[in-house]
Amino acid sequence: MKKILEIYKTAKAPVYSFEFFPPKTPEGETKLFEAVEELSKVDPGYITVTYGAGGSTRDKTIRITSELAKKFSLPAAAHFTCVGGNKEEIRVILKQIRESGIENLMALRGDPPKGEEAFKKVEGGFGYASELISFIKEEGFDFCMGAACYPEKHPEAASLESDVDNLKRKVDSGASYLVSQLFFKNSNFESFLDLIRKKGINVPVIPGIMPITSFTQIERFKAMAACEFPEKLVSDLEEVKDRPEEFYKRSVNFSVNQCRELVKLGAPGIHLYTLNQSPASLDIVRELKN
């Protein structure tokens, strides 16, 4: 399996990648594989598979990441968090991941289990992604590790500056590239990029993009990621929120233009959050490649 940093180092064009999550049902899993099959038509650089809140999908994440990589001959990264595990448990899981043929990880702190509001460090475990990344390196695992970044700051961070200081610890610990939380204002990403470069963070930074498929998602994204929306985007989508075809057209058009601008700004690729659906992400990448 090719390592993701090498993909960015050797790419002659922007790298388009897709994120999926482990479904809860066999039917959902069938639909996931169908979505990946559709999206494989645009030759993605790699795919990623998330980890459920509280590590609830750990085994499924490992299995699905490995199966998708083999079935579609795609480089793949499994999300991995430090939620609910001490060092010994984490060491065992890392061995399982490596033995499954996975060479790429997205190393994250992770979200608290369902029903819990705050993250709680397990005794003998880790409280930050930077600690997890350091441990993986110290244990001699040769994973290529990505980490998350937040152009509009992590919701729990006191300030963007303190969040960037924490981000530098992740990179100094061994993160090879960064994938951003979703955002909709490129000016915020550009300012963030300028700030982290001044702090000496020089690894590839990949914008994370989420196509809007329904108007109700806007408020959910604001609450989930504390992201800012362009007023014109909101008004344009609100105008057609009860006209699905026109809503889809305007949303995809916005994402295409957003991605084009990001590539012009120097983004080495675009990471699309698919929600296990292929149409919007497929249309966006097809338009970008054209």
Side-chain angles (χ1 to χ4, degrees):
M1 187 183 292
K2 198 168 186 179
K3 294 193 174 181
I4 288 171
L5 182 60
E6 288 305 309
I7 294 172
Y8 287 115
K9 281 184 174 180
T10 58
K12 294 181 172 59
V15 175
Y16 298 107
S17 53
F18 301 113
E19 180 173 293
F20 305 94
F21 63 85
K24 295 179 180 178
T25 66
E27 294 79 14
E29 199 165 312
T30 298
K31 289 180 180 178
L32 166 62
F33 275 75
E34 289 172 352
V36 177
E37 185 168 14
E38 278 297 299
L39 288 165
S40 67
K41 294 175 181 177
V42 291
D43 192 26
Y46 64 93
I47 58 173
T48 70
V49 181
T50 67
Y51 213 61
S56 58
T57 64
R58 183 182 69 208
D59 294 339
K60 194 179 284 188
T61 294
I62 297 169
R63 176 178 62 79
I64 288 177
T65 304
S66 181
E67 287 180 4
L68 288 174
K70 290 171 183 174
K71 181 175 176 61
F72 298 103
S73 300
L74 284 170
H79 285 217
F80 187 73
T81 77
C82 43
V83 179
N86 60 34
K87 290 181 182 179
E88 185 53 41
E89 291 166 332
I90 287 172
R91 186 183 293 113
V92 169
I93 299 163
L94 288 167
K95 287 179 180 177
Q96 292 173 353
I97 293 172
R98 195 65 189 83
E99 287 167 2
S100 74
I102 297 168
E103 295 190 23
N104 301 287
L105 291 182
M106 276 295 293
L108 311 162
R109 185 200 71 177
D111 297 322
K114 191 173 182 179
E116 295 183 20
E117 292 186 5
F119 177 88
K120 294 178 183 177
K121 176 181 175 179
V122 171
E123 186 176 348
F126 306 110
Y128 300 96
S130 56
E131 296 173 342
L132 175 64
I133 293 167
S134 289
F135 175 76
I136 293 170
K137 285 289 187 182
E138 289 165 5
E139 288 295 308
F141 291 102
D142 62 346
F143 294 107
C144 174
M145 287 184 284
C149 62
Y150 299 81
E152 293 163 286
K153 92 171 182 64
H154 191 285
E156 297 174 24
S159 66
L160 181 58
E161 288 71 20
S162 65
D163 196 29
V164 170
D165 288 340
N166 184 54
L167 182 63
K168 190 165 192 318
R169 284 190 284 273
K170 293 183 195 178
V171 173
D172 291 345
S173 297
S176 297
Y177 65 98
L178 302 169
V179 179
S180 87
Q181 174 64 282
L182 59 94
F183 64 94
F184 296 89
K185 291 189 75 170
N186 286 355
S187 57
N188 289 340
F189 181 80
E190 191 173 10
S191 298
F192 170 75
L193 202 58
D194 183 58
L195 176 60
I196 68 170
R197 295 309 189 211
K198 287 177 180 175
K199 290 278 189 175
I201 299 172
N202 296 310
V203 297
V205 182
I206 320 306
I209 300 299
M210 176 86 84
I212 302 170
T213 54
S214 72
F215 191 74
T216 56
Q217 284 181 321
I218 293 176
E219 289 305 316
R220 193 157 77 248
F221 291 163
K222 284 180 181 178
M224 176 185 76
C227 52
E228 190 179 358
F229 282 80
E231 290 182 10
K232 188 174 188 312
L233 171 63
V234 176
S235 61
D236 282 352
L237 293 180
E238 186 171 24
E239 185 181 344
V240 294
K241 64 181 180 181
D242 298 318
R243 294 159 55 195
E245 288 185 9
E246 183 60 26
F247 184 97
Y248 180 88
K249 181 180 176 182
R250 291 187 184 187
S251 174
V252 166
N253 186 59
F254 173 83
S255 294
V256 168
N257 289 330
Q258 182 186 15
C259 292
R260 280 182 176 149
E261 186 175 302
L262 289 164
V263 169
K264 285 182 180 178
L265 289 172
I270 302 291
H271 190 65
L272 285 148
Y273 298 111
T274 69
L275 297 179
N276 289 10
Q277 300 174 33
S278 60
S281 296
L282 186 62
D283 286 344
I284 289 166
V285 175
R286 276 180 171 157
E287 188 64 28
L288 290 169
K289 288 199 168 190
N290 287 338

